[in-house]
Each structure stands twice: as C-alpha cells, then as structure tokens.
C-alpha cells in the first residue's frame, strides 16, 4: 500500500492501480488498542485474502464509526454512498443499492470511511439459497464465562449428527457455529435442523440454554439463535473486525482451542495476522457438509 503523497491531515495511497484519498490518517479508531486509521488500512490489506472470501458475491451491510470504536453516532450503511469511486461495485436488492465488497480497493475505501464491521448476506448475489449455515450463540450477560462451554456442547451435538462444524468468535460477546454446506439446501431446511439442535440442547441443559428471543425474558441463559440465519439477514463475517475496545476480530477456532476456554478478546487486529500465518483459514479446511441424512430423519 504505497503512499503517493501526503499532507498533515490527508494522504493518497495507491492500490491495484487505483488512488484513494485518506483523510485524518492518524485518527485513533481503536484508542485502547492503539490503532489509527492508517494502521487499520494496513491491517485490512493483510486481512483481505481471508475476509474477501466471505464478502465477495454477497450483499454487504457495514457499520461505520466516524469517531472510532465506541462512538455513539455509529450507523449502519446498506446503501452505497454517492458518489463512490469507480472501482466500487454495487448489488441492488429490494430497493437497496448494496455495496459489493469484492476487491482490495473497495475494502480500503470502506476502511477509510471508518467502516469497522462487515456483515454480508447469507446468500449470494442474485440467488435465494444459503451459501453456508450458521447458528449464533448469543449470551445474555457480558462477559459470559460459559460461552465456550456452550459452543462446545452445540458442536458435540452437531458432531453426533454427523455434521462437522467450525466455531468462530463473533468478535463481540458470542460464538457462531459455522457449517460449510453442499449447495442446494434451502433456508427453510436449515432452520428445521437448527430448531432441532436448539431444542435438544435446551432440553439437555435447561440452566444454560434458551430459545427465548426476547432478551428481557432470558435471565442469564444463553440464547441459541437459529432464526437469524435467513434470507437477507446478516451476521459478522469471518475475519471482520468489530468495534469493541480490544479491536477484536471474528475468528474461526479449532475445537481443541474452544475446550481451553479462550478469551475472545485475544483474537484481535493486533494478533490476527500472525495467527492466520500459522493456522490458515480453518473454515476453508472443513469439507462442505451433506445434510441429506439429517433432513430425512427430521421428516
């Protein structure tokens, strides 16, 4: 990411043949983690080979924090800002002109706008079938010391059904169970399996889990959210940063790591690149799952 020119409050960077102007490059975006806007763009550049795999060919929702993580004036960005650079592609859907995050220049442009989180659709552009399957494990209290134990229980339930999965930190307070799937299943089919899994763990561990959607009615129980996985909904992308004080990143884990009860804050913008150099993309290493037998059983 070479710097083409600079001034006190503005620099120009050139990436893949395009020039991008970055204002306030020294602005702290994660003050507690010591990450400025320019540092953030450098980290996004390193994350791009991993993150873009899960945003490409999707409808993107970003969350922008003009004054950095913790800013109360943060807002969701669905419609592409106008004007946008020539390299930015869009993907209209249901009256919204979504950004298509398919390139490094677009990623860095969004970073320069203080987009600190990236939430892609569960389906590909122009399609209605899910690209993967996720179960969101959402704690009712923060911090929740039982969250990794909860993830492990759900992972074991899936394993008992012959379904391999990859746990990933949400980057915030929860954990998501990511299941790569063979293409062709519907959202309705996956919701049926999700309801079965959620009901099973609630029955087995009623003092730990709930499927009560209203947070005020959950007490300290951990919500197994199988409903969020649906057409035109989103969750945090693998490898997206989150606007938390630690600059945490939504990070896939190994199941043996989950058993060691790690702190999700340890997976952050200051550590993620070194980790990926060691582990690679754990989701990509999990085969796409065939759910035919499970669905036939549930019929």
């Amino acid at each position: 990411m070479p710097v083409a020119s600079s001034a006190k409050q503005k620099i120009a960077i050139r990436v893949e043949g395009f020039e991008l102007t970055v204002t306030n490059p020294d602005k702290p975006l994660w003050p507690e983690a010591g990450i400025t806007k320019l540092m953030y763009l450098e980290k996004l550049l390193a994350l791009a080979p991993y993150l873009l795999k899960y945003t490409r060919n999707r409808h993107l929702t970003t969350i922008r924090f003009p004054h950095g993580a913790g800013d109360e004036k943060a807002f969701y960005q669905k419609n592409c800002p106008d004007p946008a650079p020539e390299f930015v592609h869009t993907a209209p859907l249901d009256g919204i002109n979504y950004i298509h995050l398919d390139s490094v220049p677009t990623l860095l442009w969004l970073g320069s706008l203080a987009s600190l989180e990236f939430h892609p659709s569960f389906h590909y552009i122009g399609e209605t079938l899910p690209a993967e399957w996720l179960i969101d494990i959402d704690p009712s209290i923060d911090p929740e010391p039982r969250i990794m134990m909860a993830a492990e229980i759900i992972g074991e339930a899936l394993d008992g059904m012959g379904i391999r999965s990859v746990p990933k930190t949400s980057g915030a307070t929860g954990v998501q169970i990511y299941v790569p799937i063979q293409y062709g299943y519907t959202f309705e089919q996956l919701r049926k399996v999700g309801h079965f899994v959620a009901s099973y763990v609630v029955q087995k561990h009623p003092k730990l889990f709930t499927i009560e959607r209203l947070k005020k009615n959950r007490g300290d129980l951990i919500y197994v959210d199988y409903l969020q996985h649906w057409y035109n909904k989103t969750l945090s992308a693998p490898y997206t940063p989150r606007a938390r004080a630690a600059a945490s990143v939504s990070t896939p884990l190994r199941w043996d790591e989950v058993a060691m009860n790690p702190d999700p804050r340890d997976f952050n913008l200051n550590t993620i690149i070194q980790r990926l150099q060691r582990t690679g993309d754990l989701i990509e290493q999990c085969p796409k799952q065939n759910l035919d037998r499970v669905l036939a059983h549930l019929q």
Side-chain angles (χ1 to χ4, degrees):
M1 188 173 66
V3 176
S5 61
S6 64
K8 187 175 181 181
Q9 295 298 323
K10 183 184 298 186
I11 64 171
I13 59 176
R14 182 169 291 276
V15 58
E16 295 187 358
F18 296 102
E19 188 170 290
L20 178 65
T21 299
V22 180
T23 59
N24 301 314
D26 297 327
K27 184 174 190 174
L29 291 183
W30 282 273
E32 294 185 34
I35 298 174
T36 65
K37 183 185 286 190
L38 184 59
M39 293 170 63
Y40 176 44
L41 298 187
E42 292 169 343
K43 294 175 186 297
L44 283 180
L45 183 63
L47 272 175
Y50 302 93
L51 176 59
L52 290 178
K53 283 189 289 187
Y54 300 98
T55 62
R56 191 174 283 117
N57 201 20
R58 313 278 186 125
H59 302 275
L60 182 76
T61 298
T62 68
I63 310 180
R64 291 174 57 183
F65 292 77
H67 302 294
D71 176 22
E72 294 182 356
K73 296 182 179 179
F75 61 95
Y76 284 80
Q77 178 98 61
K78 291 191 174 186
N79 273 298
C80 181
D82 187 23
E86 61 178 310
F87 53 77
V88 174
H89 300 144
T90 59
L93 178 67
D94 297 337
I96 297 173
N97 194 31
Y98 287 94
I99 296 167
H100 179 194
L101 178 46
D102 62 345
S103 71
V104 173
T106 301
L107 178 61
L108 297 186
W109 171 67
L110 286 168
S112 74
L113 296 177
S115 296
L116 305 190
E117 302 191 8
F118 305 96
H119 299 249
S121 61
F122 292 121
H123 55 89
Y124 294 127
I125 293 170
E127 300 192 14
T128 58
L129 296 179
E132 66 278 300
W133 177 37
L134 282 92
I135 297 176
D136 188 27
I137 309 172
D138 187 15
S140 301
I141 58 175
D142 181 18
E144 171 52 89
R146 305 170 298 172
I147 192 65
M148 292 296 168
M149 178 177 70
E152 196 170 18
I153 290 170
I154 293 177
E156 289 172 351
L158 290 171
D159 192 60
M161 297 165 65
I163 301 172
R164 288 182 59 183
S165 60
V166 181
K168 79 175 181 77
T169 65
S170 70
T173 59
V175 173
Q176 293 148 9
I177 308 298
Y178 193 109
V179 182
I181 56 171
Q182 295 179 3
Y183 184 75
Y185 299 109
T186 66
F187 281 103
E188 290 84 357
Q189 288 175 314
L190 298 181
R191 180 168 284 188
K192 180 178 292 187
V193 183
H195 179 261
F196 175 81
V197 173
S199 299
Y200 171 78
V201 298
V202 167
Q203 181 182 21
K204 298 290 284 187
H205 303 274
K207 295 184 179 180
L208 181 63
F209 292 111
T210 182
I211 54 174
E212 169 57 57
R213 195 153 179 81
L214 293 178
K215 192 169 184 176
K216 65 183 179 68
N217 295 333
R218 295 182 208 159
D220 67 348
L221 298 178
I222 295 172
Y223 176 45
V224 186
D225 189 354
Y226 64 93
L227 296 172
Q228 182 64 20
H229 186 265
W230 198 248
Y231 179 80
N232 212 15
K233 289 180 178 287
T234 67
L235 278 176
S236 54
Y239 311 111
T240 179
R242 299 301 298 269
R244 310 284 288 193
S248 49
V249 172
S250 181
T251 304
L253 306 175
R254 300 189 309 269
W255 282 112
D256 64 307
E257 291 180 305
V258 172
M260 296 172 66
N261 194 31
D263 186 334
R265 294 172 295 186
D266 291 340
F267 307 98
N268 57 63
L269 282 173
N270 288 322
T271 63
I272 187 63
I273 303 305
Q274 296 90 334
R275 173 182 172 82
L276 289 172
Q277 290 170 347
R278 296 193 311 270
T279 67
D281 181 4
L282 295 176
I283 292 175
E284 193 173 56
Q285 296 166 29
C286 181
K288 295 183 183 298
Q289 300 297 291
N290 184 307
L291 305 179
D292 290 352
R293 185 179 65 83
V294 172
L295 286 166
H297 177 76
L298 293 179
Q299 291 294 347

